[in-house]
Amino acid sequence: MPAVPPAAPDAVLVVDFGAQYAQLIARRVREARVYSEIVPSTMPVAEMLAKNPKAIILSGGPSSVYAQGAPTVDRALFEAGVPVFGMCYGFQLMATTLGGTVDNTGSREYGRTVLHVSKTGSTLFEGTPAEQQVWMSHGDACSAAPEGFTVTGSTDVVPVAAFENDEKKLYGVQHHPEVLHSTHGQQVLEHFLYRGAGIEPTWTTGNVIEEQVAAIREQVGGSRAICGLSGGVDSAVAAALVQKAIGSQLTCVYVDHGLMRKGETEQVEKDFVAATGVQLKVVDAQERFLAALAGVSDPEQKRKIIGREFIRVFEQAQAEIIAEAEPGEPVEFLVQGTLYPDVVESGGGSGTANIKSHHNVGGLPEDLEFSLVEPLRQLFKDEVRMVGQELGLPEEIVQRQPFPGPGLGIRIVGDITRERLDLLREADAIAREELTAAGLDRDIWQCPVVLLADVRSVGVQGDGRTYGHPIVLRPVSSEDAMTADWTRMPYDVLAKISTRITNEVSDVNRVVLDVTSKPPGTIEWE
């Protein structure tokens, strides 16, 4: 089982009622330098309280509080003396559980809404304007607050859009303070944490490192571990963190599966080893992966095959490492750079849909012979970068654009062949070169380059008719991969990338731009 840190003394529990925003709430709490944990709404209140949380936040969710089978919460949660903050569905659940009124009025609010704050000096709204933009997403509305609560906010259609009970330390808002569209949302959240719950903002990435080092040492003991380096920041930071915990008990394995971008294998062998001094074993498995993927075009099947072959290669590496190990040092653990978004999108969050299996989560074979060590499983991408910086990894590794574990295998829409991989590698290298030359590496979170291998379009090259493949550019901006928007790149940069790709990469005669946000699209095409 993955090593998950125990609740810290000042931990805030985020109760997930089935919305992916629960993960974003946890992220915002951490931005306030307070440690947070996600727990499912199905967890009994007694178990929540047994964690000794400093505060509890009830997330939003897709249900109506009156719907049959909708998530509920025991009234004991609000009578335990622990500060509670309800957001959206959590707000309505608090209201109905404590005797307030929530109605289906037919007046829905979705998107940007003006909140009228009636108590600007209240615990939540101190120092914020009387009218402020918030982000709403609800059909039901609270028309009467529970007894003992003070109404602190309303909208044009909702009479009770925020309430507070300082005596019992219970607070709620109808909107989503965790999203950036709520202009004072972070301030309201921090008011709850600091003023309502009395929490000191002391949690840092240094705490993450200390907690995980202790957890890793306890989990691994005297055994050995191997870590699969993918070339990305996640696996690099995970490996550096585990090495800090167990030192020479860790051996990193880099599988050259033939699905990496141009020059990345050499970069892993040089930069990461130089920065960390880890033991690195390089396995050339290109032919094995190409043979396993031959004729496969379904993206889920690709992911599962790649995940399976990774494990099998690791098992072979394990046998070799065992043969070289000292007696009494079994190789029992596999280190992975699994992150929160990976878990959520693979259906690991309470009530969340399985959008796609991640190779670290849904793509692992059932007969896995390793116990997993996943020190980053509770973190978002930006937090991982901060941990990497704290560990002293070089900027080239820490700030590297995200790259999927299955590599270019899921950036080819269609069958995977060596020729198609080489074609995509060249197009991707050109795009990355031009983004770097334009100084856009930090402005663009990542720019997947996709080959539509099963699509051909007519073109004119060299005064002749061509029938080539399209290349898709997918530049996106994001903080944590939970949501993303396409990046508005300068036209001259796009033009240069397009011109170079169509001039320099054979069998490509068209470059297109993906301008879809997430949601509804995912960042990767497959």
Side-chain angles (χ1 to χ4, degrees):
M1 294 295 293
V4 178
D10 288 341
V12 170
L13 298 186
V14 178
V15 182
D16 181 2
F17 286 98
Q20 288 192 20
Y21 277 154
Q23 313 296 326
L24 186 54
I25 295 170
R27 184 186 183 289
R28 298 301 183 212
V29 173
R30 295 176 190 187
E31 286 181 357
R33 296 181 61 200
V34 175
Y35 177 69
S36 61
E37 280 188 14
I38 307 290
V39 297
S41 61
T42 53
M43 176 180 284
V45 168
E47 290 186 23
M48 295 183 194
L49 298 178
K51 289 178 169 285
N52 297 315
K54 195 72 173 180
I56 294 174
I57 296 175
L58 308 180
S59 83
S63 303
S64 166
V65 290
Y66 294 122
Q68 185 176 2
T72 60
V73 66
D74 195 307
R75 186 185 178 98
L77 180 69
F78 305 113
E79 298 173 343
V82 177
V84 181
F85 187 16
M87 301 176 179
C88 194
Y89 182 83
F91 165 73
Q92 295 180 358
L93 196 57
M94 181 186 293
T96 56
T97 303
L98 296 177
T101 304
V102 175
D103 305 300
N104 188 338
T105 62
S107 298
R108 301 180 178 183
E109 289 180 314
Y110 294 103
R112 291 179 176 85
T113 306
V114 175
L115 176 70
H116 307 292
V117 178
S118 55
K119 301 287 184 180
T120 53
S122 72
T123 297
L124 293 184
F125 295 107
E126 172 74 32
T128 67
E131 292 193 350
Q132 51 191 270
Q133 176 186 290
V134 298
W135 189 259
M136 292 285 195
S137 181
H138 67 95
D140 298 339
C142 182
S143 57
E147 184 178 350
F149 281 73
T150 300
V151 177
T152 54
S154 62
T155 71
D156 291 341
V157 298
V158 176
V160 182
F163 55 45
E164 304 182 21
N165 186 328
D166 283 317
E167 181 181 353
K168 295 186 177 181
K169 297 188 179 300
L170 303 177
Y171 306 87
V173 295
Q174 178 61 69
H175 66 274
H176 287 275
E178 71 274 20
V179 303
L180 295 178
H181 300 300
S182 294
T183 52
H184 296 277
Q186 185 67 15
Q187 191 174 356
V188 168
L189 175 59
E190 291 178 1
H191 280 343
F192 166 71
L193 297 171
Y194 306 156
R195 305 177 73 207
I199 302 174
E200 294 291 331
T202 58
W203 186 77
T204 65
T205 52
N207 300 142
V208 174
I209 294 171
E210 292 174 7
E211 291 169 2
Q212 282 302 317
V213 164
I216 293 164
R217 286 173 178 166
E218 181 179 358
Q219 182 185 10
V220 176
S223 299
R224 294 183 63 85
I226 62 176
C227 176
L229 287 178
S230 68
V233 63
D234 302 339
S235 63
V237 174
L241 190 51
V242 173
Q243 190 199 33
K244 182 177 178 66
I246 62 174
S248 60
Q249 291 170 246
L250 172 69
T251 299
C252 288
V253 177
Y254 175 71
V255 178
D256 185 1
H257 50 28
L259 305 175
M260 296 297 285
R261 294 181 292 193
K262 188 175 182 179
E264 288 187 323
T265 294
E266 296 76 13
Q267 189 181 54
V268 170
E269 292 186 75
K270 181 185 69 174
D271 294 347
F272 185 74
V273 173
T276 63
V278 299
Q279 301 177 64
L280 178 64
K281 183 180 185 68
V282 179
V283 181
D284 186 350
Q286 294 184 54
E287 295 299 330
R288 174 176 183 152
F289 276 81
L290 282 173
L293 290 166
V296 177
S297 59
D298 178 77
E300 278 296 280
Q301 192 176 355
K302 285 181 186 177
R303 288 175 178 271
K304 291 184 184 299
I305 289 172
I306 293 169
R308 181 195 71 207
E309 293 303 313
F310 256 108
I311 295 301
R312 297 303 173 236
V313 171
F314 285 142
E315 288 173 343
Q316 291 181 6
Q318 178 194 34
E320 296 173 5
I321 295 170
I322 287 174
E324 301 166 359
E326 296 293 329
E329 289 188 339
V331 182
E332 298 180 339
F333 295 92
L334 172 63
V335 180
Q336 293 195 136
T338 309
L339 307 188
Y340 245 154
D342 303 332
V343 176
V344 173
E345 291 196 338
S346 298
S350 172
T352 58
N354 187 346
I355 298 170
K356 60 185 178 183
S357 65
H358 187 268
H359 71 287
N360 285 350
V361 185
L364 295 177
E366 294 181 0
D367 59 341
L368 179 68
E369 295 183 4
F370 299 101
S371 294
L372 298 181
V373 180
E374 296 177 311
L376 310 179
R377 189 181 178 92
Q378 300 292 328
L379 302 182
F380 293 95
K381 179 72 74 172
D382 57 325
E383 294 174 321
V384 171
R385 294 191 195 281
M386 289 188 286
V387 169
Q389 290 173 333
E390 187 82 14
L391 289 169
L393 293 180
E395 194 81 353
E396 295 77 16
I397 292 177
V398 173
Q399 295 301 330
R400 187 176 183 186
Q401 288 192 356
F403 187 61
L408 298 179
I410 59 168
R411 292 185 177 176
I412 294 177
V413 180
D415 296 353
I416 299 172
T417 65
R418 187 181 300 278
E419 293 73 26
R420 288 175 174 181
L421 284 167
D422 289 341
L423 183 156
L424 181 54
R425 252 189 286 271
E426 290 303 318
D428 176 87
I430 289 170
R432 286 188 291 138
E433 286 172 12
E434 292 303 327
L435 291 177
T436 299
L440 295 174
D441 286 340
R442 292 295 186 92
D443 296 328
I444 297 174
W445 191 64
Q446 63 171 305
C447 184
V449 177
V450 180
L451 171 64
L452 303 184
D454 287 344
V455 176
R456 286 184 177 270
S457 63
V458 175
V460 178
Q461 291 172 299
D463 294 327
R465 179 183 184 277
T466 61
Y467 199 48
H469 296 291
I471 285 287
V472 180
L473 302 180
R474 173 73 165 133
V476 293
S477 300
S478 178
E479 292 182 335
D480 49 36
M482 297 302 299
T483 60
D485 195 11
W486 67 281
T487 306
R488 277 63 170 174
M489 287 173 55
Y491 289 153
D492 60 331
V493 177
L494 287 170
K496 192 167 187 180
I497 292 174
S498 176
T499 299
R500 283 196 59 193
I501 289 176
T502 53
N503 283 351
E504 300 175 28
V505 182
S506 61
D507 213 22
V508 173
N509 63 1
R510 193 178 299 270
V511 175
V512 299
L513 179 66
D514 184 345
V515 295
T516 313
S517 63
K518 175 189 178 182
T522 55
I523 292 176
E524 298 291 346
W525 272 50
E526 294 208 329

